[in-house]
Amino acid sequence: MGFLEAIKTCFGKFMTFGGRARRSEFWWFCLLNFIIGCIPFVGWIWGLIVLIPSIAVGIRRLHDTGRSGWWYLLVLVPLVNLLLIYFFICDSQAGSNEYGENPKGM
């Protein structure tokens, strides 16, 4: 999945907390958020705009690795939230799982 396709998908599913999201979809969206977030003042506005879509894609990414979306609550615990980065880096769970088909199409 390319950059533009990932951004379109994230905004298209901005309130979809079910299903799965590929690594590329998640990380391209994170890159966009980081770049725009570095712009003074605009970063604050952008952060408010993408708050819900960021949570949604994070939960879908956890689903893709076979984990419950409740793991996303680790973002609230200092240092332990680094475990989320590991989860986000992990490869997709092969085949289908309880959250849907593998988005890679395997």
Side-chain angles (χ1 to χ4, degrees):
M1 177 174 290
F3 179 76
L4 290 177
E5 184 181 355
I7 302 308
K8 286 179 188 176
T9 302
C10 286
F11 281 117
K13 295 181 178 182
F14 76 99
M15 288 292 289
T16 305
F17 294 92
R20 297 169 69 166
R22 295 178 68 171
R23 275 188 294 192
S24 58
E25 177 184 344
F26 176 79
W27 288 111
W28 281 123
F29 193 66
C30 287
L31 178 65
L32 175 71
N33 290 339
F34 176 77
I35 291 170
I36 295 177
C38 290
I39 302 170
F41 184 68
V42 175
W44 287 88
I45 305 292
W46 180 255
L48 291 174
I49 292 170
V50 297
L51 179 65
I52 300 298
S54 296
I55 294 170
V57 74
I59 290 173
R60 289 195 316 268
R61 178 70 200 125
L62 287 169
H63 288 170
D64 192 41
T65 63
R67 292 174 179 83
S68 168
W70 290 104
W71 280 98
Y72 197 80
L73 291 175
L74 287 179
V75 76
L76 302 172
V77 183
L79 295 179
V80 178
N81 59 14
L82 297 174
L83 184 60
L84 275 178
I85 294 173
Y86 170 74
F87 291 160
F88 293 147
I89 292 172
C90 289
D91 196 12
S92 301
Q93 189 177 33
S96 61
N97 63 18
E98 62 186 288
Y99 305 105
E101 293 293 322
N102 190 335
K104 289 183 178 179
M106 292 179 154

